[in-house]
Amino acid sequence: MTGTPQPDHQAIGRRLTVEIWIVLGLSLGRSAIYALVDIVARLTAGPPLAQQTATLNASQSPRPYLDLTYQLLSIGFALVPVALALFLLSGHGRSAVRRIGLDAVRPWRDLGIGVGLAGVIGIPGLGLYALGRLLGITVQVQASALNAAWWTVPVLVLAALQNALLEEVVAVAYLMERLRDLRWRTPLILAASALLRGSYHLYQGFGPFIGNAVMGLVFAEYYRRRRRVLPLVVAHMLLDVVAFVGYALVPAAWRSALGLS
């Protein structure tokens, strides 16, 4: 009699490991490597970190509609790894959106939790940024350098949504699901997700590395307990919208007086 072939768990584990490296290599892992090189470059550049600047959401062309095109293309292509992660998690006919809690089955509850998480993370985060600047371990972060146009705020909101989806789906939901499939222990899974989040923020200095690693630990633990990533997406998007749009709307003279530009 011919029995059903038993799965080769070692082969499955090797395949999942390669899959993780591919997904990270196309997304946040690549960003982490660039951030590591960038912080080394900053530390060896001469001026101390406190005198250096990191610019987010920079303009890509002096021509407004060409700049808009580039911005939308960047946002769109940055979401491809999110689609890939969801596709890979949807094997055997399972819905990846339901599996990781990205669905809208309880929108008001997820929104409320997201707002709460944003407050818990955002307020201490501002304090940590200020402390990092005071200690000289954090660069000056310019959250938006887009040329003023009618589409500036909508693009910044879309950029915040893109960041939230990419980081929470890949660094939390996808990575934790796959490491769980590989039978990693829970503390190692939480640490891997948190350290990944911190690592791709290293270009901003050591303060943001620590702050984002702590944020990653809180978010990873929430996902471990609830298996819902949508509140994390909401929280992350709110934090980025406040940072990006707030920075763009505050007059330059005010930012200068506050030490933000």
Side-chain angles (χ1 to χ4, degrees), residues 180-199:
R180 184 169 173 269
D181 291 340
L182 290 173
R183 296 182 173 85
W184 280 37
R185 294 183 178 182
T186 297
L188 292 178
I189 294 175
L190 298 177
S193 178
L195 288 175
L196 174 61
R197 188 188 298 267
S199 66

Side-chain angles (χ1 to χ4, degrees), residues 93-240:
R94 295 175 295 179
S95 169
V97 171
R98 287 198 297 271
R99 177 179 178 181
I100 66 174
L102 192 59
D103 52 6
V105 295
R106 51 184 200 187
W108 295 112
R109 183 176 179 182
D110 288 339
L111 177 62
I113 294 173
V115 171
L117 285 171
V120 168
I121 296 296
I123 296 173
L126 288 174
L128 186 60
Y129 174 78
L131 179 61
R133 293 286 294 148
L134 182 65
L135 296 176
I137 61 173
T138 299
V139 305
Q140 180 177 290
V141 179
Q142 294 183 347
S144 175
L146 289 180
N147 296 325
W150 64 266
W151 48 261
T152 299
V153 170
V155 163
L156 290 173
V157 172
L158 286 176
L161 176 60
Q162 171 247 297
N163 288 343
L165 285 170
L166 178 62
E167 296 188 37
E168 305 315 324
V169 171
V170 174
V172 178
Y174 168 79
L175 183 61
M176 293 182 67
E177 290 292 330
R178 280 303 188 237
L179 294 181
R180 184 169 173 269
D181 291 340
L182 290 173
R183 296 182 173 85
W184 280 37
R185 294 183 178 182
T186 297
L188 292 178
I189 294 175
L190 298 177
S193 178
L195 288 175
L196 174 61
R197 188 188 298 267
S199 66
Y200 55 75
H201 288 92
L202 260 175
Y203 70 95
Q204 298 176 10
F206 296 106
F209 167 79
I210 296 170
N212 279 279
V214 172
M215 171 181 171
L217 192 61
V218 173
F219 279 22
E221 176 61 14
Y222 176 86
Y223 181 79
R224 184 188 73 83
R225 291 173 178 268
R226 303 299 182 185
R227 301 294 290 277
R228 289 198 61 78
V229 77
L230 185 56
L232 307 182
V233 172
V234 171
H236 193 142
M237 182 179 176
L238 287 175
L239 290 170
D240 280 5

